[in-house]
């Protein structure tokens, strides 16, 4: 028995609704996030309008290079809704990434945003991997721009002899970041060793060694 054909009118309705159900535009001039509220919604509740000030829309944390003191040799300074409450509902944020020579922003994803970077200093090798497992990569220099599609694994590395930095823009107030190594080997509670051993075709002892290297330093 064959299934009945879907009426054209129903297909058109699905197409209309699929656009309608995208993130809505703001319904008011501002909705400054009340980060102290205990109310949980998809975003943040708004502060009372009589409690809003210019400081809710201001952040000066990107004007200077970040202090890099980690083994990766890179530092991300975010300018998202957690730093700028006035970004709530506006669907945009920034970050500054600074790299020491040899520094890497390791493979990671942003589940809620596309990213575009503008090189402020130095040069970087950048790339992302498609779902067909194809690496798209090139070197970018001062004044140049590169885009990382939403949700795809991507990275940047400074192969130069001097420092490098980029300004990154996102089409989300809170893009989220999942660093692949940390996500898999430093989750809490931990991903079972036998799952990781099978996935990476290594032994459980090697898994434990990787986990110990990525564990938070006390």
């Amino acid at each position: 028995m064959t299934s009945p054909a879907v009426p054209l009118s129903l297909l058109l309705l699905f197409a209309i609704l699929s656009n309608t159900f995208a993130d809505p535009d703001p319904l008011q001039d501002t909705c400054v996030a009340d980060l102290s509220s205990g109310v949980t919604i998809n975003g943040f509740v708004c502060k009372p309008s009589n409690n809003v000030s210019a400081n809710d829309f201001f952040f000066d944390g990107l004007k200077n290079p970040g202090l890099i003191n980690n083994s990766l040799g890179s530092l991300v300074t975010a300018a998202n809704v957690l730093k700028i409450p006035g970004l709530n509902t506006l669907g945009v944020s920034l970050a500054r990434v600074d790299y020491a020579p040899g520094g890497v922003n390791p493979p990671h994803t942003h589940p809620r945003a596309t990213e575009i970077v503008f090189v402020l200093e130095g040069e970087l090798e950048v790339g992302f991997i498609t779902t067909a497992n194809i690496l798209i990569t090139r070197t970018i220099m001062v004044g140049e721009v590169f885009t990382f599609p939403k949700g795809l694994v991507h990275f940047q590395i400074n192969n130069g002899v001097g420092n490098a930095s980029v300004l990154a823009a996102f089409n989300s107030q809170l893009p989220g970041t999942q660093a692949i190594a940390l996500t898999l080997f430093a989750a809490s509670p931990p991903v079972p060793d036998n799952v990781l051993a099978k996935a990476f075709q290594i032994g459980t002892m090697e898994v434990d060694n990787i986990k110990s290297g990525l564990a938070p330093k006390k």
Side-chain angles (χ1 to χ4, degrees):
M1 180 176 177
T2 58
S3 301
V6 179
L8 179 59
S9 58
L10 188 57
L11 292 175
L12 290 173
L13 178 61
F14 285 158
I16 293 170
L17 292 180
S18 66
N19 292 325
T20 305
F21 291 159
D23 289 343
D25 289 331
L27 300 179
Q28 51 205 16
D29 289 345
T30 66
C31 176
V32 174
D34 182 356
L35 300 177
S36 65
S37 174
V39 178
T40 301
I41 62 171
N42 189 21
F44 299 92
V45 297
C46 310
K47 290 171 56 173
S49 58
N50 61 3
N51 194 29
V52 171
S53 73
N55 285 336
D56 292 315
F57 301 87
F58 174 78
F59 180 63
D60 66 356
L62 303 187
K63 64 182 181 181
N64 296 316
L67 178 61
I68 302 170
N69 59 359
N70 58 61
S71 59
L72 295 175
S74 69
L75 182 69
V76 178
T77 305
N80 55 38
V81 68
L82 300 179
K83 300 291 181 65
I84 311 173
L87 289 179
N88 195 36
T89 77
L90 298 185
V92 66
S93 60
L94 290 173
R96 175 179 177 138
V97 191
D98 293 290
Y99 314 79
V104 62
N105 192 5
H108 63 281
T109 70
H110 301 295
R112 297 185 288 274
T114 292
E115 176 183 3
I116 184 168
V117 297
F118 175 83
V119 183
L120 299 171
E121 178 186 9
E123 64 179 60
L124 296 163
E125 182 181 347
V126 301
F128 63 87
I129 300 96
T130 72
T131 56
N133 221 29
I134 297 171
L135 173 63
I136 307 295
T137 183
R138 69 165 294 154
T139 298
I140 55 175
M141 303 181 181
V142 173
E144 296 180 339
V145 167
F146 195 82
T147 303
F148 304 103
K150 179 179 179 179
L152 295 186
V153 175
H154 60 281
F155 65 89
Q156 305 103 37
I157 185 168
N158 178 9
N159 289 324
V161 296
N163 292 336
S165 61
V166 301
L167 186 66
F170 305 90
N171 62 337
S172 170
Q173 66 183 41
L174 196 60
T177 299
Q178 284 194 298
I180 305 304
L182 289 175
T183 296
L184 292 174
F185 291 93
S188 180
V191 177
D193 285 4
N194 61 338
V195 172
L196 295 173
K198 191 74 170 179
F200 288 91
Q201 296 294 290
I202 57 178
T204 55
M205 185 176 295
E206 292 167 290
V207 171
D208 289 338
N209 288 338
I210 295 172
K211 284 185 174 181
S212 64
L214 292 173
K217 301 298 185 289
K218 297 181 179 179

